[in-house]
Amino acid sequence: MKQRPIGMFDSGVGGLSTLRDVRALLPNEHIIYYADTGNCPYGGRSHAEIVALAERVTHVLLEREVKIIVVACNTATLHAVDYLREHFSIRFVGMEPGIKPAIAQTKTGVVGVMATQATVAGERFQRLIARYAGDVQVVPQACPGLVELIEAGELQSATTRDAVARYVEPLLKAGADTIVLGCTHYPFLRPLIAEVAGPNIALLDTGAAVARQTQRLLAADDLLNSQSEAGSIEWLTSGDPVDFAKLRQCLEIE
């Protein structure tokens, strides 16, 4: 059991930002990463569609005997992780926008959240705000098109810069001093977002926290891999494997 891999999935390459954190903390673990690029993006899909896609990918990973599944996608977590936990006995680690830590550190009392349309519209997202916001104003900003630009490898193009500026500007105007990157794709745009937002704006994502939670759950179940050599990574995709490999290379993840 300890030698079994960790399963991870996302609508595309976004979850690779979380994979980096998991790999850094748990270098000896084997990982199977499934990029559902054939159905990317999830952000414009309905709740029912997202649940169905997440369930299908879960079956693929279970066929490969993974020992835990990291839902490395904020949209899939917010719409599907409760369903997955109810219908499958395996442990799931989900991604949620880092609203709680952002609220704890804001000085202006305004937190911006960049996320997909489906995340912003989700009931679980609204519950997060209601639970933690208190007197802090949380300003959600849906960012349609960003995932597609990242999937195309356009991390510094003029089109991407214009889109980032368009989505960041309302958050700055609202007085936000902290911006949550509420999609696992967005950390790949961190340098560009930081440049547009300016040096006084903190950017938060939850990849490292998810890696720590994965470690905690594996330890609790006595499933941490004790091998001394580095673990392997197996890549799966519902899209074109050649295009997926090229994009991983572009993102410097192999």
Side-chain angles (χ1 to χ4, degrees), residues 41-252:
Y42 285 0
R45 294 185 177 273
S46 69
H47 171 79
E49 287 178 306
I50 295 166
V51 170
L53 291 170
E55 183 177 25
R56 182 184 60 78
V57 175
T58 295
H59 281 294
V60 172
L61 292 173
L62 290 177
E63 288 173 358
R64 284 159 173 78
E65 298 187 328
V66 298
K67 59 186 176 182
I68 194 170
I69 294 178
V70 179
V71 185
C73 173
N74 287 272
T75 299
T77 295
L78 291 168
H79 284 269
V81 77
D82 290 339
Y83 174 90
L84 296 175
R85 286 170 174 157
E86 182 180 345
H87 289 82
F88 297 93
S89 58
I90 194 169
R91 296 261 208 181
F92 288 90
V93 181
M95 304 285 305
E96 289 185 341
I99 292 174
K100 184 179 179 181
I103 286 169
Q105 76 171 50
T106 180
K107 301 293 193 299
T108 63
V110 182
V111 167
V113 183
M114 297 175 66
T116 68
Q117 293 164 290
T119 292
V120 169
E123 180 183 343
R124 192 182 178 108
F125 180 77
Q126 300 303 323
R127 290 204 307 267
L128 277 175
I129 295 175
R131 180 177 181 183
Y132 295 118
D135 296 331
V136 172
Q137 180 186 2
V138 178
V139 183
Q141 176 61 58
C143 303
L146 276 192
V147 166
E148 291 90 331
L149 289 167
I150 296 165
E151 290 285 331
E154 294 191 32
L155 305 185
Q156 287 286 346
S157 71
T159 301
T160 303
R161 179 179 293 274
D162 289 344
V164 167
R166 185 165 65 252
Y167 297 137
V168 168
E169 182 181 6
L171 304 179
L172 300 182
K173 284 187 174 180
D177 64 348
T178 304
I179 295 177
V180 176
L181 306 183
C183 170
T184 53
H185 280 77
Y186 299 171
F188 289 115
L189 294 180
R190 179 184 284 269
L192 183 56
I193 295 171
E195 184 180 333
V196 170
N200 298 321
I201 305 300
L203 304 179
L204 295 183
D205 70 82
T206 55
V210 166
R212 292 192 297 271
Q213 177 67 356
T214 302
Q215 182 187 49
R216 281 194 292 268
L217 292 179
L218 289 175
D221 294 338
D222 193 25
L223 289 177
L224 285 171
N225 196 330
S226 56
Q227 69 178 22
S228 57
E229 63 269 22
S232 62
I233 303 179
E234 180 182 354
W235 306 108
L236 303 175
T237 179
S238 59
D240 187 321
V242 175
D243 288 344
F244 180 48
K246 288 179 180 177
L247 189 51
R248 293 200 315 270
Q249 187 176 21
C250 173
L251 299 173
E252 300 181 351

Side-chain angles (χ1 to χ4, degrees), residues 12-40:
V13 299
L16 297 178
S17 64
T18 305
L19 182 145
R20 287 188 306 195
D21 291 311
V22 172
R23 193 74 168 158
L25 186 63
L26 300 168
N28 301 328
E29 295 288 348
H30 303 298
I31 297 174
I32 296 177
Y33 182 92
Y34 189 102
D36 196 11
T37 50
N39 295 292
C40 186

Side-chain angles (χ1 to χ4, degrees), residues 1-13:
M1 286 289 290
K2 293 182 180 182
Q3 296 293 322
R4 289 184 178 182
I6 295 170
M8 301 182 68
F9 77 90
D10 178 54
S11 63
V13 299

